[in-house]
């Protein structure tokens, strides 16, 4: 299903990057339901809230939060959140970035599941982990649809339970 619906876009957003576009999976009724069900399955009962990483992680996290009766936190790129934030700078496969969460997004001790579409170098998820831990949350798992194995992102997330639906 993932192979049939996902698109590979060569040299996007810059030369040499093979971009894995999951928007056709999100647009497919069965595709969306199956990836959301599968991504949360190993973590059921271990989280109080789900953090989605901007922007494609929002799709997964909102659907998964609704399905599990939990809430959702938006981990956003710099300058998008209106109230005081925790801020973290990170490197990713193509460039650098800054992620932010509202300082009062999670109460200390809250168990958080992080969801995103693609794990590449692990820089983005690593940044989200630091932010959530700074806020006093306990990250109990990381779920992604695709894992770019050659980039060893999982190694940057040592000590955390990482579940991907497919290695590419
Ligand atoms: P990284 O921080 O290197 O693990 O990159 C992961 C983040 O960048 C995720 O939010 C992905 O959506 C995006 N990303 C990085 N590389 C790719 C890729 N080859 N195809 C699609 N998305 C990617």
């Amino acid at each position: 299903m993932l192979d049939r619906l996902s698109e590979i876009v060569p040299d996007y957003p810059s030369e040499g990057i093979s971009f894995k576009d999951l928007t056709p999976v999100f647009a497919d009724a069965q595709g969306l339901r199956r990836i959301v069900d599968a991504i949360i399955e190993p973590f059921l009962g271990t989280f109080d809230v789900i953090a989605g990483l901007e922007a494609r992680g929002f799709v997964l996290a909102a659907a998964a939060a609704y399905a599990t009766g939990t809430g959702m936190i938006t981990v956003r790129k710099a300058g998008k959140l209106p109230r005081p934030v925790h801020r973290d700078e990170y490197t990713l496969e193509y460039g650098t970035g800054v992620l932010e969460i509202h300082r009062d997004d999670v109460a200390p001790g809250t168990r958080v599941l992080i969801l995103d579409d693609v794990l590449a170098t692990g820089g983005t998820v690593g940044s989200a982990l630091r932010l959530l831990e700074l806020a006093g949350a306990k990250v109990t798992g990381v779920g992604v649809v695709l894992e770019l194995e050659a980039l060893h992102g999982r190694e940057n997330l040592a000590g955390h339970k990482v579940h991907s639906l497919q290695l590419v």
Side-chain angles (χ1 to χ4, degrees):
M1 185 272 300
L2 274 171
D3 289 331
R4 180 172 56 84
L5 291 173
S6 52
E7 296 276 349
I8 311 288
V9 186
D11 298 319
Y12 181 88
S14 53
E15 216 176 308
I17 301 293
S18 166
F19 192 84
K20 313 294 183 286
D21 179 19
L22 291 175
T23 57
V25 185
F26 296 160
D28 184 88
Q30 267 204 349
L32 181 63
R33 182 176 290 269
R34 282 173 62 179
I35 57 171
V36 169
D37 286 349
I39 210 167
I40 55 178
E41 200 273 331
F43 303 109
L44 289 173
T46 71
F47 57 89
D48 308 306
V49 70
I50 302 179
L53 310 193
E54 186 169 357
R56 291 175 296 274
F58 291 174
V59 177
L60 298 165
Y66 185 82
T68 54
T70 57
M72 187 215 157
I73 296 169
T74 56
V75 180
R76 300 216 60 180
K77 291 169 185 163
K80 304 282 190 185
L81 292 170
R83 294 182 294 104
V85 294
H86 290 302
R87 171 189 166 89
D88 185 83
E89 283 195 37
Y90 66 105
T91 41
L92 72 169
E93 194 187 2
Y94 39 82
T96 60
V98 174
L99 287 183
E100 296 177 342
I101 58 170
H102 275 138
R103 280 178 179 261
D104 59 4
D105 267 345
V106 281
T110 304
R111 299 171 306 159
V112 182
L113 170 66
I114 295 177
L115 295 183
D116 202 5
D117 63 339
V118 174
L119 179 68
T121 64
T124 310
V125 171
S127 176
L129 266 163
R130 284 191 295 276
L131 283 171
L132 290 160
E133 284 171 355
L134 195 62
K138 179 169 171 37
V139 176
T140 47
V142 175
V144 295
V145 180
L146 299 180
E147 177 176 351
L148 309 187
E149 214 181 357
L151 295 177
H152 306 293
R154 188 177 281 268
E155 287 168 21
N156 293 328
L157 309 174
H160 291 278
K161 181 174 172 180
V162 180
H163 170 62
S164 60
L165 301 189
Q166 190 167 301
L167 300 173
V168 287

